[in-house]
Amino acid sequence: MIISDIDQLIELQDQLLTEIGRCDREIVISASFGLVRAYTEHRITNQIDLFLTDTAETADRIQQLIGNKFNITGKEEKNRWNYPQKVNQISFEIKNNNIPIKLNLVEDVFSGEFGKTKLEIGLFLEDLEGIYHRVLLDYIHNPENILYLVDIAYIDDEYHLIDFVDTFSNTVGKDSLDTLITCFTKSLSYIEKDRFTVDRKLREHSVKISSNVIKKWISAKIEELSE
Protein backbone atom coordinates (compact mmCIF):
# COMPACT_ATOMS: atom_id res chain seq x y z
CA MET A 1 0.00 0.00 0.00
CA ILE A 2 1.37 3.35 -1.03
CA ILE A 3 -0.87 6.31 -0.17
CA SER A 4 0.40 9.58 -1.61
CA ASP A 5 -2.29 11.74 0.01
CA ILE A 6 -2.65 10.79 3.68
CA ASP A 7 -5.13 13.60 4.35
CA GLN A 8 -7.40 12.24 1.63
CA LEU A 9 -7.19 8.75 3.12
CA ILE A 10 -8.16 10.03 6.57
CA GLU A 11 -11.00 12.11 5.14
CA LEU A 12 -12.36 9.07 3.29
CA GLN A 13 -12.13 6.96 6.45
CA ASP A 14 -14.02 9.62 8.40
CA GLN A 15 -16.74 9.79 5.74
CA LEU A 16 -17.10 6.02 5.83
CA LEU A 17 -17.27 5.89 9.64
CA THR A 18 -19.86 8.69 9.70
CA GLU A 19 -22.05 6.74 7.30
CA ILE A 20 -21.66 3.52 9.31
CA GLY A 21 -22.57 5.46 12.44
CA ARG A 22 -26.11 5.73 11.04
CA CYS A 23 -26.50 1.98 11.61
CA ASP A 24 -28.71 1.27 14.63
CA ARG A 25 -26.24 -1.18 16.16
CA GLU A 26 -23.53 -1.00 18.81
CA ILE A 27 -20.32 -0.90 16.75
CA VAL A 28 -16.91 -0.55 18.41
CA ILE A 29 -13.76 0.94 16.86
CA SER A 30 -10.75 -1.00 18.11
CA ALA A 31 -7.61 -3.01 17.25
CA SER A 32 -4.85 -1.33 15.23
CA PHE A 33 -7.17 1.15 13.54
CA GLY A 34 -8.49 2.40 16.87
CA LEU A 35 -4.96 2.67 18.22
CA VAL A 36 -3.57 4.51 15.20
CA ARG A 37 -6.41 6.96 14.69
CA ALA A 38 -7.43 7.73 18.27
CA TYR A 39 -4.40 7.22 20.48
CA THR A 40 -0.91 7.23 18.96
CA GLU A 41 -1.00 8.34 15.29
CA HIS A 42 2.35 6.58 14.85
CA ARG A 43 1.55 5.25 11.38
CA ILE A 44 -1.11 5.18 8.70
CA THR A 45 -3.43 2.31 7.93
CA ASN A 46 -5.96 1.70 5.19
CA GLN A 47 -7.75 -0.97 7.25
CA ILE A 48 -10.70 -0.09 9.48
CA ASP A 49 -11.40 -2.55 12.30
CA LEU A 50 -14.94 -2.52 13.71
CA PHE A 51 -16.26 -5.02 16.27
CA LEU A 52 -19.92 -5.97 16.60
CA THR A 53 -22.41 -8.66 17.49
CA ASP A 54 -24.73 -10.26 14.90
CA THR A 55 -21.92 -9.90 12.38
CA ALA A 56 -23.70 -11.16 9.26
CA GLU A 57 -26.92 -9.20 9.84
CA THR A 58 -25.07 -6.00 10.71
CA ALA A 59 -22.72 -6.42 7.73
CA ASP A 60 -25.74 -6.55 5.41
CA ARG A 61 -27.10 -3.38 6.99
CA ILE A 62 -23.75 -1.59 6.66
CA GLN A 63 -23.41 -2.68 3.04
CA GLN A 64 -26.79 -1.11 2.32
CA LEU A 65 -25.77 2.13 4.06
CA ILE A 66 -22.44 2.59 2.29
CA GLY A 67 -23.25 1.00 -1.08
CA ASN A 68 -24.61 4.16 -2.70
CA LYS A 69 -21.71 6.43 -1.66
CA PHE A 70 -18.70 4.13 -1.74
CA ASN A 71 -17.41 1.83 -4.44
CA ILE A 72 -17.37 -1.70 -2.96
CA THR A 73 -15.04 -3.83 -5.09
CA GLY A 74 -15.01 -7.04 -3.06
CA LYS A 75 -16.35 -8.96 -0.08
CA GLU A 76 -14.71 -11.75 1.90
CA GLU A 77 -15.64 -13.83 4.93
CA LYS A 78 -13.06 -15.69 7.01
CA ASN A 79 -11.89 -16.37 10.57
CA ARG A 80 -9.86 -13.50 11.98
CA TRP A 81 -8.73 -15.49 15.02
CA ASN A 82 -8.69 -19.15 15.98
CA TYR A 83 -7.44 -18.40 19.50
CA PRO A 84 -9.02 -18.36 22.05
CA GLN A 85 -11.88 -19.36 19.74
CA LYS A 86 -12.86 -19.02 16.11
CA VAL A 87 -13.88 -15.44 15.41
CA ASN A 88 -15.68 -14.54 12.21
CA GLN A 89 -14.79 -11.51 10.08
CA ILE A 90 -16.57 -10.04 7.06
CA SER A 91 -14.45 -7.64 5.01
CA PHE A 92 -15.34 -5.17 2.27
CA GLU A 93 -12.79 -3.87 -0.21
CA ILE A 94 -13.59 -0.24 -1.01
CA LYS A 95 -11.95 2.08 -3.52
CA ASN A 96 -12.89 5.75 -3.89
CA ASN A 97 -10.77 8.34 -5.72
CA ASN A 98 -8.19 5.60 -6.29
CA ILE A 99 -7.74 5.19 -2.52
CA PRO A 100 -8.16 1.61 -1.23
CA ILE A 101 -9.75 0.89 2.14
CA LYS A 102 -10.41 -2.48 3.73
CA LEU A 103 -13.38 -2.45 6.11
CA ASN A 104 -13.19 -5.35 8.60
CA LEU A 105 -16.36 -6.21 10.53
CA VAL A 106 -15.38 -8.60 13.29
CA GLU A 107 -17.45 -10.69 15.68
CA ASP A 108 -17.02 -9.12 19.12
CA VAL A 109 -16.18 -11.99 21.46
CA PHE A 110 -15.19 -9.43 24.12
CA SER A 111 -18.49 -7.54 24.04
CA GLY A 112 -18.95 -5.69 27.34
CA GLU A 113 -15.51 -6.75 28.62
CA PHE A 114 -13.75 -3.38 28.21
CA GLY A 115 -14.62 0.26 28.62
CA LYS A 116 -15.64 2.35 25.63
CA THR A 117 -16.74 5.87 24.79
CA LYS A 118 -19.61 6.79 22.50
CA LEU A 119 -18.58 9.21 19.75
CA GLU A 120 -20.70 11.92 18.18
CA ILE A 121 -21.02 9.88 14.97
CA GLY A 122 -22.77 7.08 16.88
CA LEU A 123 -19.91 4.58 16.99
CA PHE A 124 -17.98 3.58 20.12
CA LEU A 125 -14.23 3.88 20.71
CA GLU A 126 -12.75 1.16 22.88
CA ASP A 127 -10.41 1.96 25.76
CA LEU A 128 -6.72 1.25 25.27
CA GLU A 129 -6.78 -1.93 27.38
CA GLY A 130 -9.31 -3.53 25.06
CA ILE A 131 -7.42 -2.36 21.99
CA TYR A 132 -4.24 -3.95 23.40
CA HIS A 133 -5.99 -7.33 23.76
CA ARG A 134 -7.10 -7.27 20.14
CA VAL A 135 -3.74 -6.11 18.78
CA LEU A 136 -1.99 -8.91 20.70
CA LEU A 137 -4.42 -11.46 19.25
CA ASP A 138 -3.82 -10.10 15.75
CA TYR A 139 -0.07 -10.39 16.32
CA ILE A 140 -0.25 -13.94 17.67
CA HIS A 141 -2.12 -14.97 14.53
CA ASN A 142 0.21 -13.01 12.21
CA PRO A 143 3.72 -12.81 13.72
CA GLU A 144 5.15 -12.00 10.29
CA ASN A 145 3.19 -8.73 10.16
CA ILE A 146 5.73 -6.21 11.38
CA LEU A 147 3.06 -3.51 11.78
CA TYR A 148 1.45 -5.32 14.71
CA LEU A 149 4.84 -5.36 16.41
CA VAL A 150 5.16 -1.61 15.87
CA ASP A 151 1.72 -1.15 17.43
CA ILE A 152 2.65 -3.26 20.46
CA ALA A 153 5.87 -1.29 20.90
CA TYR A 154 3.91 1.97 21.03
CA ILE A 155 1.33 0.59 23.48
CA ASP A 156 4.20 -0.68 25.62
CA ASP A 157 4.83 2.87 26.80
CA GLU A 158 1.38 2.83 28.45
CA TYR A 159 0.90 -0.86 29.26
CA HIS A 160 4.21 -2.66 29.77
CA LEU A 161 3.96 -6.05 28.09
CA ILE A 162 5.67 -7.86 30.97
CA ASP A 163 2.95 -6.59 33.32
CA PHE A 164 0.11 -7.15 30.84
CA VAL A 165 0.69 -10.81 29.92
CA ASP A 166 -1.17 -12.20 32.94
CA THR A 167 -4.16 -9.92 32.32
CA PHE A 168 -4.23 -10.93 28.66
CA SER A 169 -3.91 -14.64 29.51
CA ASN A 170 -6.77 -14.46 32.01
CA THR A 171 -9.03 -12.71 29.51
CA VAL A 172 -8.43 -15.16 26.65
CA GLY A 173 -8.41 -18.16 28.99
CA LYS A 174 -4.99 -19.48 28.04
CA ASP A 175 -1.42 -18.97 29.23
CA SER A 176 0.07 -16.76 26.52
CA LEU A 177 3.63 -16.21 27.72
CA ASP A 178 5.25 -19.04 25.74
CA THR A 179 3.08 -18.19 22.72
CA LEU A 180 4.31 -14.59 22.70
CA ILE A 181 7.96 -15.62 23.06
CA THR A 182 7.54 -18.04 20.13
CA CYS A 183 5.92 -15.31 18.01
CA PHE A 184 8.68 -12.81 18.84
CA THR A 185 11.26 -15.40 17.79
CA LYS A 186 9.44 -15.95 14.49
CA SER A 187 9.32 -12.20 13.90
CA LEU A 188 13.05 -11.89 14.46
CA SER A 189 13.71 -14.62 11.90
CA TYR A 190 11.40 -12.92 9.43
CA ILE A 191 13.18 -9.57 9.79
CA GLU A 192 16.62 -11.12 9.48
CA LYS A 193 15.53 -13.01 6.38
CA ASP A 194 14.35 -9.96 4.44
CA ARG A 195 15.07 -6.60 6.11
CA PHE A 196 14.65 -4.76 2.79
CA THR A 197 11.00 -5.82 2.47
CA VAL A 198 10.33 -5.05 6.13
CA ASP A 199 11.82 -1.55 5.89
CA ARG A 200 9.86 -0.85 2.73
CA LYS A 201 6.63 -1.83 4.47
CA LEU A 202 7.47 0.44 7.39
CA ARG A 203 8.10 3.38 5.03
CA GLU A 204 4.87 2.74 3.13
CA HIS A 205 2.94 3.07 6.39
CA SER A 206 4.84 6.19 7.52
CA VAL A 207 6.54 4.40 10.41
CA LYS A 208 9.48 6.50 11.62
CA ILE A 209 11.58 3.62 12.97
CA SER A 210 13.61 1.00 11.10
CA SER A 211 13.64 -2.78 11.20
CA ASN A 212 16.90 -2.63 13.14
CA VAL A 213 15.21 -0.70 15.95
CA ILE A 214 12.34 -3.19 15.97
CA LYS A 215 14.84 -6.07 16.15
CA LYS A 216 16.44 -4.58 19.25
CA TRP A 217 13.04 -4.06 20.86
CA ILE A 218 11.99 -7.66 20.13
CA SER A 219 15.25 -9.04 21.56
CA ALA A 220 14.77 -6.99 24.72
CA LYS A 221 11.19 -8.26 25.10
CA ILE A 222 12.21 -11.89 24.61
CA GLU A 223 14.83 -11.49 27.33
CA GLU A 224 12.36 -9.72 29.63
CA LEU A 225 9.61 -12.32 29.16
CA SER A 226 12.04 -15.23 29.55
CA GLU A 227 13.30 -14.18 32.98
Side-chain angles (χ1 to χ4, degrees):
M1 179 197 74
I2 300 177
I3 301 294
S4 58
D5 192 333
I6 297 175
D7 290 337
Q8 194 173 9
L9 169 66
I10 292 174
E11 182 180 354
L12 186 59
Q13 289 174 343
D14 288 347
Q15 292 172 359
L16 185 58
L17 291 172
T18 299
E19 199 65 27
I20 294 172
R22 295 174 52 218
C23 185
D24 55 347
R25 301 287 192 277
E26 183 174 295
I27 301 173
V28 180
I29 300 170
S30 188
S32 287
F33 177 75
L35 175 68
V36 168
R37 285 297 311 272
Y39 289 94
T40 56
E41 298 183 337
H42 63 279
R43 66 177 177 90
I44 61 171
T45 178
N46 70 330
Q47 298 201 37
I48 296 177
D49 301 309
L50 302 179
F51 293 80
L52 41 97
T53 55
D54 300 321
T55 311
E57 180 183 344
T58 305
D60 289 341
R61 172 63 177 149
I62 289 174
Q63 186 172 6
Q64 293 173 0
L65 283 172
I66 68 176
N68 292 329
K69 295 184 178 181
F70 300 89
N71 181 28
I72 300 174
T73 60
K75 181 180 179 180
E76 177 188 32
E77 185 170 356
K78 67 176 185 179
N79 287 332
R80 182 173 178 122
W81 304 323
N82 294 309
Y83 163 103
Q85 66 189 68
K86 290 185 177 180
V87 174
N88 187 48
Q89 171 178 288
I90 297 174
S91 300
F92 293 101
E93 299 285 350
I94 298 168
K95 198 166 190 178
N96 274 39
N97 300 324
N98 209 34
I99 295 178
I101 289 179
K102 186 175 183 180
L103 173 63
N104 299 317
L105 307 176
V106 190
E107 179 186 356
D108 192 356
V109 293
F110 297 128
S111 179
E113 187 78 25
F114 307 110
K116 56 185 180 292
T117 302
K118 189 169 186 178
L119 307 177
E120 290 183 4
I121 58 175
L123 303 179
F124 290 82
L125 173 65
E126 194 160 54
D127 291 351
L128 189 56
E129 182 181 357
I131 286 176
Y132 199 1
H133 278 82
R134 301 183 199 270
V135 172
L136 280 175
L137 279 171
D138 280 332
Y139 172 63
I140 286 171
H141 285 83
N142 302 277
E144 75 286 351
N145 190 331
I146 194 69
L147 296 175
Y148 292 138
L149 270 175
V150 173
D151 295 343
I152 293 169
Y154 272 84
I155 301 176
D156 199 45
D157 288 338
E158 182 80 17
Y159 285 96
H160 299 306
L161 183 58
I162 186 65
D163 299 325
F164 195 75
V165 171
D166 287 344
T167 300
F168 177 71
S169 297
N170 290 336
T171 302
V172 301
K174 183 177 180 179
D175 187 358
S176 305
L177 181 60
D178 289 341
T179 301
L180 282 169
I181 292 173
T182 299
C183 289
F184 282 144
T185 303
K186 288 181 179 178
S187 297
L188 269 182
S189 298
Y190 174 68
I191 293 173
E192 291 168 353
K193 182 179 178 181
D194 192 355
R195 286 181 57 185
F196 175 80
T197 300
V198 171
D199 280 320
R200 182 178 62 190
K201 187 169 187 176
L202 293 173
R203 289 194 302 270
E204 288 176 352
H205 289 79
S206 297
V207 178
K208 304 301 182 184
I209 55 179
S210 68
S211 61
N212 191 50
V213 173
I214 292 293
K215 275 184 60 180
K216 292 179 180 178
W217 182 86
I218 296 171
S219 298
K221 290 301 158 184
I222 291 176
E223 182 177 352
E224 186 178 42
L225 293 174
S226 300
E227 291 179 352

